[in-house]
PDB file of all heavy atoms in Angstrom:
ATOM      1  N   PHE A1229      14.794  -9.824 -27.174  1.00 82.00           N
ATOM      2  CA  PHE A1229      14.709  -8.498 -26.560  1.00 82.00           C
ATOM      3  C   PHE A1229      16.091  -8.085 -26.090  1.00 82.00           C
ATOM      4  O   PHE A1229      16.783  -8.844 -25.415  1.00 82.00           O
ATOM      5  CB  PHE A1229      13.739  -8.517 -25.376  1.00 82.00           C
ATOM      6  CG  PHE A1229      13.709  -7.231 -24.602  1.00 82.00           C
ATOM      7  CD1 PHE A1229      13.132  -6.095 -25.129  1.00 82.00           C
ATOM      8  CD2 PHE A1229      14.261  -7.157 -23.323  1.00 82.00           C
ATOM      9  CE1 PHE A1229      13.102  -4.902 -24.411  1.00 82.00           C
ATOM     10  CE2 PHE A1229      14.238  -5.977 -22.603  1.00 82.00           C
ATOM     11  CZ  PHE A1229      13.646  -4.846 -23.152  1.00 82.00           C
ATOM     12  N   GLN A1230      16.498  -6.884 -26.459  1.00 82.00           N
ATOM     13  CA  GLN A1230      17.809  -6.376 -26.055  1.00 82.00           C
ATOM     14  C   GLN A1230      17.621  -5.137 -25.199  1.00 82.00           C
ATOM     15  O   GLN A1230      16.851  -4.240 -25.540  1.00 82.00           O
ATOM     16  CB  GLN A1230      18.668  -6.025 -27.280  1.00 82.00           C
ATOM     17  CG  GLN A1230      20.075  -5.560 -26.896  1.00 82.00           C
ATOM     18  CD  GLN A1230      21.004  -5.493 -28.095  1.00 82.00           C
ATOM     19  OE1 GLN A1230      20.685  -6.022 -29.155  1.00 82.00           O
ATOM     20  NE2 GLN A1230      22.138  -4.854 -27.935  1.00 82.00           N
ATOM     21  N   TYR A1231      18.330  -5.126 -24.083  1.00 78.00           N
ATOM     22  CA  TYR A1231      18.266  -3.980 -23.175  1.00 78.00           C
ATOM     23  C   TYR A1231      19.672  -3.433 -22.974  1.00 78.00           C
ATOM     24  O   TYR A1231      20.621  -4.177 -22.740  1.00 78.00           O
ATOM     25  CB  TYR A1231      17.684  -4.373 -21.816  1.00 78.00           C
ATOM     26  CG  TYR A1231      17.646  -3.224 -20.822  1.00 78.00           C
ATOM     27  CD1 TYR A1231      16.606  -2.314 -20.857  1.00 78.00           C
ATOM     28  CD2 TYR A1231      18.662  -3.045 -19.895  1.00 78.00           C
ATOM     29  CE1 TYR A1231      16.569  -1.244 -19.968  1.00 78.00           C
ATOM     30  CE2 TYR A1231      18.630  -1.978 -19.007  1.00 78.00           C
ATOM     31  CZ  TYR A1231      17.584  -1.086 -19.050  1.00 78.00           C
ATOM     32  OH  TYR A1231      17.555  -0.030 -18.182  1.00 78.00           O
ATOM     33  N   ASN A1232      19.799  -2.127 -23.084  1.00 74.00           N
ATOM     34  CA  ASN A1232      21.102  -1.502 -22.804  1.00 74.00           C
ATOM     35  C   ASN A1232      20.903  -0.085 -22.316  1.00 74.00           C
ATOM     36  O   ASN A1232      19.889   0.557 -22.616  1.00 74.00           O
ATOM     37  CB  ASN A1232      22.001  -1.528 -24.050  1.00 74.00           C
ATOM     38  CG  ASN A1232      21.377  -0.781 -25.205  1.00 74.00           C
ATOM     39  OD1 ASN A1232      21.280   0.433 -25.193  1.00 74.00           O
ATOM     40  ND2 ASN A1232      20.936  -1.527 -26.228  1.00 74.00           N
ATOM     41  N   THR A1233      21.866   0.361 -21.553  1.00 62.00           N
ATOM     42  CA  THR A1233      21.878   1.749 -21.101  1.00 62.00           C
ATOM     43  C   THR A1233      22.902   2.495 -21.940  1.00 62.00           C
ATOM     44  O   THR A1233      24.016   2.013 -22.146  1.00 62.00           O
ATOM     45  CB  THR A1233      22.256   1.854 -19.617  1.00 62.00           C
ATOM     46  OG1 THR A1233      23.486   1.155 -19.400  1.00 62.00           O
ATOM     47  CG2 THR A1233      21.182   1.251 -18.749  1.00 62.00           C
ATOM     48  N   SER A1234      22.530   3.654 -22.413  1.00 51.00           N
ATOM     49  CA  SER A1234      23.424   4.421 -23.275  1.00 51.00           C
ATOM     50  C   SER A1234      24.610   4.982 -22.506  1.00 51.00           C
ATOM     51  O   SER A1234      25.670   5.230 -23.066  1.00 51.00           O
ATOM     52  CB  SER A1234      22.657   5.569 -23.943  1.00 51.00           C
ATOM     53  OG  SER A1234      22.053   6.400 -22.961  1.00 51.00           O
ATOM     54  N   SER A1235      24.423   5.185 -21.204  1.00 44.00           N
ATOM     55  CA  SER A1235      25.521   5.689 -20.379  1.00 44.00           C
ATOM     56  C   SER A1235      25.318   5.216 -18.960  1.00 44.00           C
ATOM     57  O   SER A1235      24.216   4.844 -18.552  1.00 44.00           O
ATOM     58  CB  SER A1235      25.573   7.225 -20.421  1.00 44.00           C
ATOM     59  OG  SER A1235      24.369   7.762 -19.911  1.00 44.00           O
ATOM     60  N   SER A1236      26.396   5.203 -18.207  1.00 47.00           N
ATOM     61  CA  SER A1236      26.306   4.778 -16.816  1.00 47.00           C
ATOM     62  C   SER A1236      25.711   5.896 -15.973  1.00 47.00           C
ATOM     63  O   SER A1236      25.851   7.077 -16.280  1.00 47.00           O
ATOM     64  CB  SER A1236      27.687   4.395 -16.281  1.00 47.00           C
ATOM     65  OG  SER A1236      28.540   5.520 -16.310  1.00 47.00           O
ATOM     66  N   THR A1237      25.041   5.538 -14.919  1.00 46.00           N
ATOM     67  CA  THR A1237      24.465   6.518 -13.999  1.00 46.00           C
ATOM     68  C   THR A1237      24.969   6.230 -12.600  1.00 46.00           C
ATOM     69  O   THR A1237      25.295   5.098 -12.255  1.00 46.00           O
ATOM     70  CB  THR A1237      22.927   6.469 -13.999  1.00 46.00           C
ATOM     71  OG1 THR A1237      22.511   5.162 -13.614  1.00 46.00           O
ATOM     72  CG2 THR A1237      22.379   6.782 -15.386  1.00 46.00           C
ATOM     73  N   THR A1238      25.035   7.246 -11.808  1.00 48.00           N
ATOM     74  CA  THR A1238      25.505   7.112 -10.437  1.00 48.00           C
ATOM     75  C   THR A1238      24.392   7.526  -9.490  1.00 48.00           C
ATOM     76  O   THR A1238      23.773   8.568  -9.675  1.00 48.00           O
ATOM     77  CB  THR A1238      26.749   7.988 -10.197  1.00 48.00           C
ATOM     78  OG1 THR A1238      27.773   7.583 -11.096  1.00 48.00           O
ATOM     79  CG2 THR A1238      27.235   7.844  -8.770  1.00 48.00           C
ATOM     80  N   LYS A1239      24.147   6.718  -8.485  1.00 49.00           N
ATOM     81  CA  LYS A1239      23.126   7.030  -7.497  1.00 49.00           C
ATOM     82  C   LYS A1239      23.779   7.078  -6.118  1.00 49.00           C
ATOM     83  O   LYS A1239      24.464   6.153  -5.726  1.00 49.00           O
ATOM     84  CB  LYS A1239      22.020   5.971  -7.506  1.00 49.00           C
ATOM     85  CG  LYS A1239      21.178   5.972  -8.759  1.00 49.00           C
ATOM     86  CD  LYS A1239      20.032   4.987  -8.665  1.00 49.00           C
ATOM     87  CE  LYS A1239      20.517   3.577  -8.691  1.00 49.00           C
ATOM     88  NZ  LYS A1239      19.423   2.594  -8.731  1.00 49.00           N
ATOM     89  N   GLU A1240      23.549   8.163  -5.426  1.00 47.00           N
ATOM     90  CA  GLU A1240      24.022   8.286  -4.064  1.00 47.00           C
ATOM     91  C   GLU A1240      22.835   8.098  -3.141  1.00 47.00           C
ATOM     92  O   GLU A1240      21.868   8.839  -3.202  1.00 47.00           O
ATOM     93  CB  GLU A1240      24.666   9.647  -3.829  1.00 47.00           C
ATOM     94  CG  GLU A1240      25.989   9.819  -4.582  1.00 47.00           C
ATOM     95  CD  GLU A1240      26.686  11.104  -4.200  1.00 47.00           C
ATOM     96  OE1 GLU A1240      26.128  11.840  -3.370  1.00 47.00           O
ATOM     97  OE2 GLU A1240      27.777  11.358  -4.729  1.00 47.00           O
ATOM     98  N   ILE A1241      22.903   7.090  -2.304  1.00 46.00           N
ATOM     99  CA  ILE A1241      21.793   6.760  -1.416  1.00 46.00           C
ATOM    100  C   ILE A1241      22.206   7.019   0.026  1.00 46.00           C
ATOM    101  O   ILE A1241      23.193   6.483   0.505  1.00 46.00           O
ATOM    102  CB  ILE A1241      21.362   5.296  -1.592  1.00 46.00           C
ATOM    103  CG1 ILE A1241      20.985   5.050  -3.064  1.00 46.00           C
ATOM    104  CG2 ILE A1241      20.200   4.957  -0.682  1.00 46.00           C
ATOM    105  CD1 ILE A1241      20.588   3.629  -3.346  1.00 46.00           C
ATOM    106  N   ASP A1242      21.448   7.861   0.686  1.00 43.00           N
ATOM    107  CA  ASP A1242      21.709   8.169   2.081  1.00 43.00           C
ATOM    108  C   ASP A1242      20.559   7.629   2.919  1.00 43.00           C
ATOM    109  O   ASP A1242      19.707   6.913   2.422  1.00 43.00           O
ATOM    110  CB  ASP A1242      21.851   9.689   2.241  1.00 43.00           C
ATOM    111  CG  ASP A1242      22.629  10.057   3.492  1.00 43.00           C
ATOM    112  OD1 ASP A1242      22.912   9.158   4.290  1.00 43.00           O
ATOM    113  OD2 ASP A1242      22.941  11.244   3.669  1.00 43.00           O
ATOM    114  N   PHE A1243      20.505   7.974   4.186  1.00 43.00           N
ATOM    115  CA  PHE A1243      19.455   7.468   5.055  1.00 43.00           C
ATOM    116  C   PHE A1243      18.105   8.036   4.645  1.00 43.00           C
ATOM    117  O   PHE A1243      17.988   9.080   4.035  1.00 43.00           O
ATOM    118  CB  PHE A1243      19.742   7.828   6.510  1.00 43.00           C
ATOM    119  CG  PHE A1243      19.580   9.292   6.822  1.00 43.00           C
ATOM    120  CD1 PHE A1243      18.345   9.813   7.150  1.00 43.00           C
ATOM    121  CD2 PHE A1243      20.668  10.141   6.783  1.00 43.00           C
ATOM    122  CE1 PHE A1243      18.189  11.147   7.440  1.00 43.00           C
ATOM    123  CE2 PHE A1243      20.516  11.489   7.067  1.00 43.00           C
ATOM    124  CZ  PHE A1243      19.282  11.996   7.398  1.00 43.00           C
ATOM    125  N   ASN A1244      17.055   7.323   4.996  1.00 42.00           N
ATOM    126  CA  ASN A1244      15.686   7.808   4.808  1.00 42.00           C
ATOM    127  C   ASN A1244      15.040   7.974   6.167  1.00 42.00           C
ATOM    128  O   ASN A1244      15.044   7.063   6.973  1.00 42.00           O
ATOM    129  CB  ASN A1244      14.865   6.799   3.989  1.00 42.00           C
ATOM    130  CG  ASN A1244      15.380   6.672   2.587  1.00 42.00           C
ATOM    131  OD1 ASN A1244      15.294   7.602   1.809  1.00 42.00           O
ATOM    132  ND2 ASN A1244      15.929   5.513   2.261  1.00 42.00           N
ATOM    133  N   LEU A1245      14.507   9.137   6.401  1.00 42.00           N
ATOM    134  CA  LEU A1245      13.716   9.372   7.608  1.00 42.00           C
ATOM    135  C   LEU A1245      12.297   9.584   7.114  1.00 42.00           C
ATOM    136  O   LEU A1245      11.910  10.664   6.736  1.00 42.00           O
ATOM    137  CB  LEU A1245      14.214  10.608   8.344  1.00 42.00           C
ATOM    138  CG  LEU A1245      13.470  11.029   9.616  1.00 42.00           C
ATOM    139  CD1 LEU A1245      13.439   9.900  10.612  1.00 42.00           C
ATOM    140  CD2 LEU A1245      14.104  12.247  10.233  1.00 42.00           C
ATOM    141  N   SER A1246      11.541   8.501   7.042  1.00 38.00           N
ATOM    142  CA  SER A1246      10.239   8.603   6.398  1.00 38.00           C
ATOM    143  C   SER A1246       9.250   7.653   7.037  1.00 38.00           C
ATOM    144  O   SER A1246       9.484   7.120   8.110  1.00 38.00           O
ATOM    145  CB  SER A1246      10.379   8.298   4.903  1.00 38.00           C
ATOM    146  OG  SER A1246      10.909   7.001   4.715  1.00 38.00           O
ATOM    147  N   GLY A1247       8.137   7.428   6.371  1.00 35.00           N
ATOM    148  CA  GLY A1247       7.098   6.552   6.902  1.00 35.00           C
ATOM    149  C   GLY A1247       5.816   7.318   7.114  1.00 35.00           C
ATOM    150  O   GLY A1247       5.823   8.510   7.383  1.00 35.00           O
ATOM    151  N   THR A1248       4.694   6.652   7.006  1.00 32.00           N
ATOM    152  CA  THR A1248       3.409   7.331   7.109  1.00 32.00           C
ATOM    153  C   THR A1248       3.193   7.923   8.507  1.00 32.00           C
ATOM    154  O   THR A1248       2.490   8.903   8.658  1.00 32.00           O
ATOM    155  CB  THR A1248       2.268   6.343   6.808  1.00 32.00           C
ATOM    156  OG1 THR A1248       2.409   5.195   7.639  1.00 32.00           O
ATOM    157  CG2 THR A1248       2.306   5.902   5.366  1.00 32.00           C
ATOM    158  N   LEU A1249       3.792   7.300   9.517  1.00 35.00           N
ATOM    159  CA  LEU A1249       3.623   7.797  10.881  1.00 35.00           C
ATOM    160  C   LEU A1249       4.875   8.476  11.401  1.00 35.00           C
ATOM    161  O   LEU A1249       4.908   8.954  12.522  1.00 35.00           O
ATOM    162  CB  LEU A1249       3.253   6.634  11.821  1.00 35.00           C
ATOM    163  CG  LEU A1249       1.929   5.952  11.516  1.00 35.00           C
ATOM    164  CD1 LEU A1249       1.772   4.719  12.379  1.00 35.00           C
ATOM    165  CD2 LEU A1249       0.778   6.904  11.754  1.00 35.00           C
ATOM    166  N   ALA A1250       5.909   8.492  10.579  1.00 37.00           N
ATOM    167  CA  ALA A1250       7.181   9.039  11.042  1.00 37.00           C
ATOM    168  C   ALA A1250       7.301  10.505  10.661  1.00 37.00           C
ATOM    169  O   ALA A1250       6.532  11.045   9.876  1.00 37.00           O
ATOM    170  CB  ALA A1250       8.343   8.248  10.438  1.00 37.00           C
ATOM    171  N   MET A1251       8.286  11.143  11.229  1.00 35.00           N
ATOM    172  CA  MET A1251       8.561  12.526  10.895  1.00 35.00           C
ATOM    173  C   MET A1251       9.050  12.612   9.459  1.00 35.00           C
ATOM    174  O   MET A1251       9.821  11.789   8.995  1.00 35.00           O
ATOM    175  CB  MET A1251       9.642  13.041  11.850  1.00 35.00           C
ATOM    176  CG  MET A1251      10.093  14.439  11.566  1.00 35.00           C
ATOM    177  SD  MET A1251      11.376  14.891  12.741  1.00 35.00           S
ATOM    178  CE  MET A1251      11.975  16.369  11.950  1.00 35.00           C
ATOM    179  N   LYS A1252       8.620  13.626   8.725  1.00 35.00           N
ATOM    180  CA  LYS A1252       9.011  13.777   7.329  1.00 35.00           C
ATOM    181  C   LYS A1252      10.279  14.612   7.231  1.00 35.00           C
ATOM    182  O   LYS A1252      10.423  15.625   7.899  1.00 35.00           O
ATOM    183  CB  LYS A1252       7.897  14.458   6.528  1.00 35.00           C
ATOM    184  CG  LYS A1252       6.579  13.680   6.534  1.00 35.00           C
ATOM    185  CD  LYS A1252       6.728  12.344   5.844  1.00 35.00           C
ATOM    186  CE  LYS A1252       5.415  11.590   5.844  1.00 35.00           C
ATOM    187  NZ  LYS A1252       5.520  10.288   5.208  1.00 35.00           N
ATOM    188  N   ALA A1253      11.193  14.191   6.395  1.00 35.00           N
ATOM    189  CA  ALA A1253      12.407  14.965   6.149  1.00 35.00           C
ATOM    190  C   ALA A1253      12.599  15.066   4.655  1.00 35.00           C
ATOM    191  O   ALA A1253      13.091  14.152   4.020  1.00 35.00           O
ATOM    192  CB  ALA A1253      13.619  14.295   6.796  1.00 35.00           C
ATOM    193  N   SER A1254      12.157  16.160   4.060  1.00 32.00           N
ATOM    194  CA  SER A1254      12.294  16.339   2.628  1.00 32.00           C
ATOM    195  C   SER A1254      12.855  17.724   2.371  1.00 32.00           C
ATOM    196  O   SER A1254      12.479  18.693   3.013  1.00 32.00           O
ATOM    197  CB  SER A1254      10.937  16.186   1.928  1.00 32.00           C
ATOM    198  OG  SER A1254      10.020  17.117   2.431  1.00 32.00           O
ATOM    199  N   GLY A1255      13.763  17.809   1.388  1.00 32.00           N
ATOM    200  CA  GLY A1255      14.385  19.093   1.115  1.00 32.00           C
ATOM    201  C   GLY A1255      15.333  19.487   2.229  1.00 32.00           C
ATOM    202  O   GLY A1255      16.079  18.674   2.760  1.00 32.00           O
ATOM    203  N   LYS A1256      15.279  20.734   2.621  1.00 33.00           N
ATOM    204  CA  LYS A1256      16.169  21.236   3.667  1.00 33.00           C
ATOM    205  C   LYS A1256      15.763  20.692   5.029  1.00 33.00           C
ATOM    206  O   LYS A1256      14.611  20.728   5.412  1.00 33.00           O
ATOM    207  CB  LYS A1256      16.133  22.767   3.687  1.00 33.00           C
ATOM    208  CG  LYS A1256      17.088  23.382   4.700  1.00 33.00           C
ATOM    209  CD  LYS A1256      17.002  24.887   4.660  1.00 33.00           C
ATOM    210  CE  LYS A1256      17.928  25.515   5.698  1.00 33.00           C
ATOM    211  NZ  LYS A1256      17.840  26.998   5.685  1.00 33.00           N
ATOM    212  N   ILE A1257      16.733  20.189   5.773  1.00 32.00           N
ATOM    213  CA  ILE A1257      16.485  19.696   7.123  1.00 32.00           C
ATOM    214  C   ILE A1257      16.803  20.816   8.112  1.00 32.00           C
ATOM    215  O   ILE A1257      17.922  21.322   8.149  1.00 32.00           O
ATOM    216  CB  ILE A1257      17.354  18.457   7.436  1.00 32.00           C
ATOM    217  CG1 ILE A1257      17.041  17.337   6.441  1.00 32.00           C
ATOM    218  CG2 ILE A1257      17.121  17.977   8.850  1.00 32.00           C
ATOM    219  CD1 ILE A1257      17.886  16.116   6.620  1.00 32.00           C
ATOM    220  N   ASP A1258      15.821  21.233   8.891  1.00 39.00           N
ATOM    221  CA  ASP A1258      16.059  22.334   9.814  1.00 39.00           C
ATOM    222  C   ASP A1258      16.843  21.858  11.032  1.00 39.00           C
ATOM    223  O   ASP A1258      17.148  20.674  11.167  1.00 39.00           O
ATOM    224  CB  ASP A1258      14.738  23.002  10.239  1.00 39.00           C
ATOM    225  CG  ASP A1258      13.788  22.011  10.894  1.00 39.00           C
ATOM    226  OD1 ASP A1258      14.270  21.065  11.535  1.00 39.00           O
ATOM    227  OD2 ASP A1258      12.580  22.207  10.770  1.00 39.00           O
ATOM    228  N   SER A1259      17.153  22.782  11.937  1.00 40.00           N
ATOM    229  CA  SER A1259      18.041  22.454  13.061  1.00 40.00           C
ATOM    230  C   SER A1259      17.412  21.426  13.993  1.00 40.00           C
ATOM    231  O   SER A1259      18.091  20.576  14.537  1.00 40.00           O
ATOM    232  CB  SER A1259      18.379  23.730  13.833  1.00 40.00           C
ATOM    233  OG  SER A1259      17.177  24.348  14.302  1.00 40.00           O
ATOM    234  N   ILE A1260      16.084  21.493  14.162  1.00 43.00           N
ATOM    235  CA  ILE A1260      15.423  20.527  15.041  1.00 43.00           C
ATOM    236  C   ILE A1260      15.489  19.137  14.430  1.00 43.00           C
ATOM    237  O   ILE A1260      15.809  18.161  15.089  1.00 43.00           O
ATOM    238  CB  ILE A1260      13.960  20.950  15.302  1.00 43.00           C
ATOM    239  CG1 ILE A1260      13.924  22.274  16.069  1.00 43.00           C
ATOM    240  CG2 ILE A1260      13.220  19.867  16.068  1.00 43.00           C
ATOM    241  CD1 ILE A1260      12.530  22.798  16.333  1.00 43.00           C
ATOM    242  N   SER A1261      15.182  19.028  13.132  1.00 73.00           N
ATOM    243  CA  SER A1261      15.246  17.733  12.457  1.00 73.00           C
ATOM    244  C   SER A1261      16.668  17.180  12.492  1.00 73.00           C
ATOM    245  O   SER A1261      16.870  15.996  12.690  1.00 73.00           O
ATOM    246  CB  SER A1261      14.777  17.866  10.999  1.00 73.00           C
ATOM    247  OG  SER A1261      13.439  18.283  10.945  1.00 73.00           O
ATOM    248  N   ALA A1262      17.658  18.026  12.278  1.00 82.00           N
ATOM    249  CA  ALA A1262      19.047  17.590  12.296  1.00 82.00           C
ATOM    250  C   ALA A1262      19.444  17.115  13.691  1.00 82.00           C
ATOM    251  O   ALA A1262      20.166  16.125  13.839  1.00 82.00           O
ATOM    252  CB  ALA A1262      19.959  18.729  11.835  1.00 82.00           C
ATOM    253  N   SER A1263      18.963  17.803  14.712  1.00 85.00           N
ATOM    254  CA  SER A1263      19.305  17.393  16.073  1.00 85.00           C
ATOM    255  C   SER A1263      18.640  16.073  16.428  1.00 85.00           C
ATOM    256  O   SER A1263      19.218  15.242  17.134  1.00 85.00           O
ATOM    257  CB  SER A1263      18.899  18.492  17.077  1.00 85.00           C
ATOM    258  OG  SER A1263      17.502  18.681  17.084  1.00 85.00           O
ATOM    259  N   LEU A1264      17.432  15.858  15.931  1.00 88.00           N
ATOM    260  CA  LEU A1264      16.768  14.570  16.136  1.00 88.00           C
ATOM    261  C   LEU A1264      17.540  13.470  15.428  1.00 88.00           C
ATOM    262  O   LEU A1264      17.747  12.383  15.981  1.00 88.00           O
ATOM    263  CB  LEU A1264      15.329  14.618  15.621  1.00 88.00           C
ATOM    264  CG  LEU A1264      14.574  13.286  15.584  1.00 88.00           C
ATOM    265  CD1 LEU A1264      14.499  12.672  16.981  1.00 88.00           C
ATOM    266  CD2 LEU A1264      13.176  13.482  15.009  1.00 88.00           C
ATOM    267  N   ASP A1265      17.986  13.760  14.228  1.00 85.00           N
ATOM    268  CA  ASP A1265      18.775  12.778  13.481  1.00 85.00           C
ATOM    269  C   ASP A1265      20.041  12.400  14.245  1.00 85.00           C
ATOM    270  O   ASP A1265      20.405  11.227  14.332  1.00 85.00           O
ATOM    271  CB  ASP A1265      19.133  13.336  12.106  1.00 85.00           C
ATOM    272  CG  ASP A1265      20.115  12.461  11.359  1.00 85.00           C
ATOM    273  OD1 ASP A1265      19.805  11.274  11.128  1.00 85.00           O
ATOM    274  OD2 ASP A1265      21.216  12.944  11.014  1.00 85.00           O
ATOM    275  N   ARG A1266      20.704  13.369  14.816  1.00 86.00           N
ATOM    276  CA  ARG A1266      21.921  13.081  15.588  1.00 86.00           C
ATOM    277  C   ARG A1266      21.617  12.205  16.787  1.00 86.00           C
ATOM    278  O   ARG A1266      22.384  11.307  17.134  1.00 86.00           O
ATOM    279  CB  ARG A1266      22.582  14.394  16.023  1.00 86.00           C
ATOM    280  CG  ARG A1266      23.307  15.125  14.896  1.00 86.00           C
ATOM    281  CD  ARG A1266      24.209  16.213  15.462  1.00 86.00           C
ATOM    282  NE  ARG A1266      23.438  17.272  16.098  1.00 86.00           N
ATOM    283  CZ  ARG A1266      22.965  18.344  15.476  1.00 86.00           C
ATOM    284  NH1 ARG A1266      23.158  18.484  14.176  1.00 86.00           N
ATOM    285  NH2 ARG A1266      22.294  19.274  16.145  1.00 86.00           N
ATOM    286  N   SER A1267      20.492  12.453  17.440  1.00 88.00           N
ATOM    287  CA  SER A1267      20.100  11.644  18.602  1.00 88.00           C
ATOM    288  C   SER A1267      19.827  10.201  18.188  1.00 88.00           C
ATOM    289  O   SER A1267      20.234   9.257  18.875  1.00 88.00           O
ATOM    290  CB  SER A1267      18.852  12.245  19.271  1.00 88.00           C
ATOM    291  OG  SER A1267      19.117  13.523  19.777  1.00 88.00           O
TER     292      SER A1267
END
Side-chain angles (χ1 to χ4, degrees):
F1229 174 72
Q1230 183 168 346
Y1231 178 83
N1232 60 71
T1233 53
S1234 57
S1235 61
S1236 62
T1237 59
T1238 301
K1239 292 185 291 185
E1240 291 187 359
I1241 303 178
D1242 202 352
F1243 71 86
N1244 294 293
L1245 178 56
S1246 59
T1248 53
L1249 297 172
M1251 176 181 167
K1252 300 296 181 181
S1254 58
K1256 183 180 178 181
I1257 300 177
D1258 58 31
S1259 58
I1260 296 178
S1261 298
S1263 64
L1264 171 59
D1265 172 58
R1266 285 194 294 271
S1267 297

